[in-house]
Amino acid sequence: MSTLKAVRGTRDLLPPETALWNRIEATARAVFARYNFGEIRTPVFEDTGLFARGVGEETDIVSKEMYTWEDRARAQSEKPQSLTLRPENTAGVVRAYIEHGLGESGQLQKLYYMGPQFRRERPQKGRYRQFSQIGAEVIGPPSAGSESPLRDAEVLEMLASLLDELGISGWTLELNSVGSPADRARYNEALRAALVPVVSQMCEDCKRRAVTNPLRVLDCKVPADQPIIDTLPVIADSLDEASKAHFAAVTAALDAAGVPYTRNHRLVRGLDYYTRTTFEFTHGGLGAQNALLGGGRYDGLSEAIGGPKAPGIGFAMGEDRLVLTLLALNEQNAGAQKADAYIAPLGEGLNAAALTLARELRHQGLWIELGEGGFRLKKSFDAADKTARRIVILGEDELQSGILTVKTFSTGVQTKIPRTELAAFLSL
Ligand code: HAM
């Protein structure tokens, strides 16, 4: 019988790398708290209709990447419900916002989340079928200021600070505006017209997109198509005055705060709910899948799924990609850190005393690896050297006298330390 393996596109995360995941999550929580965000946890699966109506029937995500199944009907007369593993979390957050009447407080809702998402994409480095996002949404009634460009600028400034705090240097913020739905419709027509004379020279995907959804031509990565795409009209020219003013206010606030960005006219994003501001933070170290995170404004999403008017803006970071980037940047992997001490009992008869000593030290906040009295001393030293900064020898003499022998591996120095001073010494 063949051995079972993790399903293609999924993976196990193991120590020491998981320590890095924990550090990223802890840093994100701390930064979100400073910006007054609270955590929301939505279910991992939802009614399929939420994504069809929210993310958009025509998008790659909904049309070909979702894990969807029919739930068992409760009664024979009942139609089975179509359920889907969430491919992203924004639609779920907006559904929860509507379901719990969060807009009725009249306040902005500032919500963050972290957790697994599922897309049936072709797996490669930085792209998985189960991946983890850390995201946040700012959403509320227009009277709460949810449409203000200040909200966009604040979210972008928070992201710049968070990436810096994580130690991710060398990111680029790419910024664009996709305008109002009317602007976008106008732009789609302009693109459609501009594509007519050139599309025959383009790839098969673009030929199809030129008819079904011309905007998606801008996502094309085929090298031969790029010079043609560069000649197409840009969306900035299709924006109405209000969208232009909104974008100008976002960039003015970023300039004032000193957050650098570049305008990317092709950044239209792969989800249909976006209006006005769209953005991605990219990193050169990631290769083809270079987006660390993506996001934007979605002023019509709540209404599209049956809710009140509730403009919003948010983002999601690909946690897998943050980890890859930090590893590539030679991050001191937190998990590779060693324990403060390894306790080596000299003989099985001292195992219980060693557990007591370990308990004492752990209660004082030290990070202890407990050895095994059945090991020969050489084996204890080898194990200790791999897992801890120091070894504490606990023999019959040490137990009686209360004076312990401690060796520090980095210096090779061996010292005698009274048990009462051991915790203080080990924490140095
Ligand atoms: P998205 O651009 O589809 O946006 O995904 C956001 C980020 O998730 C990407 O930039 C990438 O880092 C990561 N990601 C996406 N797919 C994969 C994958 N297959 N494997 C690994 N990482 C992946 C959204 O999901 C929107 N909900 C963001 C948003 C929030 N917009 C407004 N609010």
Side-chain angles (χ1 to χ4, degrees):
M1 217 164 71
S2 61
T3 44
L4 288 172
K5 292 199 169 136
V7 172
R8 184 168 142 81
T10 72
R11 57 210 183 111
D12 302 307
L13 304 175
L14 307 171
E17 195 183 290
T18 38
L20 186 51
W21 288 73
N22 284 326
R23 187 178 76 73
I24 290 171
E25 288 162 22
T27 305
R29 284 180 199 283
V31 170
F32 293 151
R34 293 212 295 271
Y35 287 78
N36 210 20
F37 279 73
E39 184 175 5
I40 182 168
R41 300 187 190 197
T42 65
V44 163
F45 58 88
E46 300 264 4
D47 191 292
T48 305
L50 173 66
F51 304 114
R53 284 161 65 190
V55 175
E57 209 95 57
E58 295 287 304
T59 60
D60 278 359
I61 294 178
V62 173
S63 64
K64 50 188 188 200
E65 295 172 359
M66 295 205 304
Y67 287 96
T68 297
W69 71 98
E70 284 205 341
D71 201 18
R72 252 172 278 177
R74 265 172 302 171
Q76 276 206 326
S77 55
E78 213 183 52
K79 228 181 121 224
Q81 190 179 10
S82 177
L83 302 177
T84 292
L85 285 179
R86 63 182 184 197
E88 60 100 54
N89 217 156
T90 307
V93 169
V94 177
R95 184 215 26 84
Y97 171 93
I98 299 167
E99 189 167 334
H100 301 286
L102 299 184
E104 285 156 28
S105 69
Q107 301 299 309
L108 275 185
Q109 300 296 310
K110 298 161 74 175
L111 304 164
Y112 78 86
Y113 49 83
M114 21 189 99
Q117 319 292 331
F118 306 86
R119 296 184 194 174
R120 203 176 180 291
E121 295 190 84
R122 195 132 64 85
Q124 62 180 82
K125 185 179 166 219
R127 191 162 73 193
Y128 311 98
R129 290 180 171 179
Q130 176 174 336
F131 58 98
S132 196
Q133 283 186 341
I134 299 178
E137 313 292 345
V138 180
I139 178 171
S143 61
S146 55
E147 284 169 304
S148 167
L150 179 58
R151 303 277 71 92
D152 310 42
E154 187 186 25
V155 161
L156 292 166
E157 186 278 323
M158 174 170 81
L159 281 166
S161 299
L162 174 53
L163 291 177
D164 288 346
E165 201 155 322
L166 285 170
I168 297 189
S169 50
W171 50 261
T172 302
L173 163 55
E174 300 185 17
L175 196 59
N176 197 19
S177 174
V178 295
S180 66
D183 296 340
R184 209 139 48 132
R186 235 189 341 266
Y187 181 55
N188 249 322
E189 285 325 303
L191 269 185
R192 207 186 291 277
L195 281 164
V196 171
V198 291
V199 76
S200 62
Q201 305 153 46
M202 299 181 79
C203 72
E204 290 309 309
D205 275 343
C206 283
K207 289 193 180 107
R208 184 176 43 79
R209 291 164 175 151
V211 182
T212 57
N213 194 351
L215 208 63
R216 294 269 83 87
V217 167
L218 303 185
D219 297 336
C220 175
K221 298 258 163 30
V222 175
D225 287 3
Q226 302 311 308
I228 303 174
I229 294 171
D230 288 341
T231 66
L232 296 173
V234 294
I235 197 162
D237 296 333
S238 297
L239 299 187
D240 64 14
E241 288 312 312
S243 291
K244 277 188 192 155
H246 192 276
F247 190 71
V250 174
T251 54
L254 290 177
D255 289 338
V259 177
Y261 57 86
T262 58
R263 178 93 185 238
N264 177 353
H265 290 288
R266 281 175 61 172
L267 189 71
V268 290
R269 308 264 304 131
L271 302 92
D272 278 352
Y273 50 60
Y274 290 112
T275 52
R276 295 191 167 166
T277 312
T278 52
F279 58 86
E280 281 181 5
F281 281 71
T282 56
H283 198 280
L286 277 169
Q289 303 303 314
N290 71 348
L292 283 172
L293 67 93
R297 186 164 266 292
Y298 45 85
D299 292 346
L301 176 53
S302 171
E303 289 151 293
I305 59 175
K309 189 167 169 57
I313 178 158
F315 64 87
M317 311 197 285
E319 196 177 358
D320 305 72
R321 297 187 189 175
L322 297 177
V323 169
L324 277 174
T325 308
L326 283 172
L327 290 175
L329 286 170
N330 262 334
E331 142 94 1
Q332 269 303 320
N333 195 337
Q337 269 179 35
K338 293 185 166 180
D340 295 312
Y342 179 103
I343 297 177
L346 296 183
E348 283 173 24
L350 286 154
N351 273 350
L355 177 65
T356 309
L357 177 61
R359 175 174 159 87
E360 227 171 84
L361 296 170
R362 285 168 176 156
H363 280 190
Q364 295 182 77
L366 288 156
W367 186 0
I368 302 297
E369 180 74 21
L370 178 57
E372 159 57 45
F375 290 176
R376 299 228 276 211
L377 196 56
K378 164 95 171 59
K379 183 166 173 180
S380 289
F381 265 89
D382 286 349
D385 198 13
K386 290 203 182 88
T387 53
R389 294 188 293 120
R390 295 188 165 101
I391 185 167
V392 177
I393 314 282
L394 184 67
E396 202 55 61
D397 290 351
E398 282 83 359
L399 190 61
Q400 295 311 323
S401 66
I403 307 285
L404 295 136
T405 306
V406 182
K407 181 172 173 179
T408 303
F409 291 115
S410 61
T411 57
V413 174
Q414 198 155 304
T415 342
K416 301 254 185 227
I417 307 283
R419 185 162 179 159
T420 47
E421 291 166 25
L422 186 61
F425 178 80
L426 293 178
S427 61
L428 291 179

